[in-house]
Amino acid sequence: MNARSFFTLILAVAGVGFSTLGLAQMDHGSMKGGAMAGGSMQGSAATMAAQHGADTSMAEGTVKRVDKTKGTVTLAHGSVNGMPPMTMAYKVKDITWLDKMQVGQKIRFATDPADGGMTVLRFEALK
């Protein structure tokens, strides 16, 4: 067997594990943050967070940018809800919070597990 045939065989075998059939048979309801159960949405964000073990504790971050036109705040943060440390833009639950946030300010914040953690539900300034 030449190297090209061997490589093709390895890719084919590896691909079987990621087949569409394999994905279709997965229990998607057990995925972290999965809100679907029996094809319908159930409960509030807090209930879903509790059901799926979402981390609703507050994380620390530094305000990098405030964009009032988009209604977002960009935060540099450590690990949050299973995500690695990064800098990313979040929507805010209350647009008036953007008036209280300043670039360089350190805050503690919690995100909404119902939308995959893309919205800041609450925050407090750190001293």
Side-chain angles (χ1 to χ4, degrees):
M1 179 180 290
N2 66 27
R4 184 179 182 129
S5 296
F6 181 73
F7 181 71
T8 302
L9 177 64
I10 294 298
L11 286 176
V13 171
V16 170
F18 296 105
S19 70
T20 303
L21 180 59
L23 291 173
Q25 294 174 347
M26 285 177 55
D27 177 12
H28 296 286
S30 67
M31 296 178 128
K32 182 175 180 177
M36 299 301 282
S40 64
M41 297 294 287
Q42 295 181 342
S44 67
T47 302
M48 285 186 279
Q51 288 173 345
H52 298 287
D55 181 9
T56 57
S57 62
M58 295 185 74
E60 291 187 15
T62 302
V63 176
K64 293 296 186 180
R65 181 173 185 214
V66 175
D67 189 333
K68 293 179 185 178
T69 60
K70 291 182 181 178
T72 61
V73 59
T74 300
L75 299 171
H77 59 75
S79 296
V80 175
N81 297 332
M83 293 186 300
M86 67 177 75
T87 300
M88 66 179 282
Y90 292 89
K91 296 175 196 171
V92 291
K93 179 180 173 185
D94 185 341
I95 196 90
T96 63
W97 294 349
L98 297 175
D99 294 326
K100 300 173 185 176
M101 296 180 179
Q102 302 295 320
V103 172
Q105 178 182 32
K106 295 201 182 303
I107 66 169
R108 287 176 27 99
F109 66 101
T111 59
D112 187 353
D115 73 352
M118 300 303 297
T119 303
V120 174
L121 287 181
R122 63 185 186 276
F123 86 99
E124 59 189 41
L126 293 177
K127 296 183 183 209

